[in-house]
């Protein structure tokens, strides 16, 4: 179940969306003959996800414009997925992004996604150029950074700390028929 609201205020598009989902499952019902490990499986229960975003275009270089986006994400679980769950990356996050298209052929994007809870970020830069109607190129850089934290004098790696060595640079060329 979910819903959304979108409106414009002072040249800014404001969007709010929320979704609620639940898993009603009692592992003890109908599983009496199964091993105890199976009977104690716990599904996540409910999940409530919400996003608030602001989008606005500003004047930029040489009379051009730049589109900007600021977005906040919040997810609440009935059962906490834990500190190292990959499903909880960016559940409490802020996204800032920009798109600059000085002409029909060139586009430049930059974004920063910051995880408030796990204190890490993903940043991405992308430059794309349309050479012909069918041929385009792209250059993309992704940087993922997270921290290893200490909890009760024991090292604990956050999901972002686990994947912090997955930075990448890619160059691509695409031909569409």
């Amino acid at each position: 179940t979910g819903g959304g609201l979108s409106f414009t205020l002072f040249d800014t598009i404001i969007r709010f969306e929320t979704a609620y989902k639940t898993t009603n499952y009692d592992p003890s019902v109908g599983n009496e003959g199964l091993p105890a490990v199976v009977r104690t499986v716990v599904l996540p229960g409910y999940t409530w996800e919400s996003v608030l975003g602001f989008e606005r275009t500003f004047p930029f270089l040489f009379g051009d414009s730049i589109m900007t986006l600021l977005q906040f994400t919040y997810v609440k679980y009935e059962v906490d997925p834990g500190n190292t769950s990959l499903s909880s990356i960016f559940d409490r996050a802020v996204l800032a992004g920009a798109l600059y298209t000085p002409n029909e052929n060139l586009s430049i994007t930059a974004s920063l996604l910051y995880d408030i809870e796990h204190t890490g970020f993903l940043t991405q830069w992308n430059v794309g150029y349309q050479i012909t109607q069918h041929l385009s190129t792209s250059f993309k850089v992704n940087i993922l950074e997270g921290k290893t934290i200490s909890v009760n004098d024991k090292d604990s790696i956050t999901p972002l700390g686990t994947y912090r060595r997955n930075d990448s640079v890619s160059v691509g060329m695409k031909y569409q028929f």
Side-chain angles (χ1 to χ4, degrees):
T1 306
L5 174 68
S6 179
F7 60 94
T8 303
L9 181 66
F10 302 114
D11 296 327
T12 302
I13 299 170
I14 301 170
R15 293 188 178 121
F16 174 74
E17 294 185 16
T18 188
Y20 179 85
K21 59 185 174 184
T22 185
T23 305
N24 295 321
Y25 173 70
D26 183 352
S28 63
V29 176
N31 292 327
E32 291 80 11
L34 297 175
V37 173
V38 175
R39 289 193 313 256
T40 58
V41 170
V42 178
L43 293 179
Y46 74 80
T47 303
W48 192 337
E49 302 172 319
S50 298
V51 177
L52 175 63
F54 303 90
E55 181 180 317
R56 184 168 183 171
T57 301
F58 292 98
F60 200 57
L61 302 172
F62 311 112
D64 291 330
S65 59
I66 188 168
M67 186 186 74
T68 59
L69 175 68
L70 180 63
Q71 183 173 295
F72 304 92
T73 304
Y74 180 81
V75 180
K76 179 170 176 51
Y77 299 97
E78 182 176 10
V79 177
D80 185 3
N83 192 37
T84 59
S85 172
L86 295 180
S87 66
S88 67
I89 295 179
F90 302 117
D91 281 350
R92 286 162 185 75
V94 177
L95 169 84
L99 168 64
Y100 176 57
T101 53
N103 59 51
E104 291 181 8
N105 296 346
L106 178 64
S107 67
I108 302 167
T109 59
S111 63
L112 173 68
L113 182 57
Y114 180 75
D115 189 316
I116 297 167
E117 185 174 3
H118 297 296
T119 316
F121 66 88
L122 168 66
T123 185
Q124 183 178 74
W125 295 280
N126 189 19
V127 176
Y129 188 77
Q130 187 80 29
I131 298 170
T132 68
Q133 180 180 1
H134 300 286
L135 182 63
S136 62
T137 62
S138 66
F139 175 76
K140 185 184 293 186
V141 176
N142 292 309
I143 299 174
L144 183 61
E145 180 61 42
K147 294 184 177 182
T148 302
I149 61 173
S150 180
V151 179
N152 298 330
D153 296 326
K154 293 182 181 178
D155 285 337
S156 175
I157 297 177
T158 68
L160 291 167
T162 303
Y163 289 95
R164 69 177 174 211
R165 293 190 179 145
N166 286 346
D167 299 344
S168 66
V169 174
S170 62
V171 176
M173 184 170 280
K174 178 171 62 173
Y175 186 83
Q176 295 178 329
F177 296 95

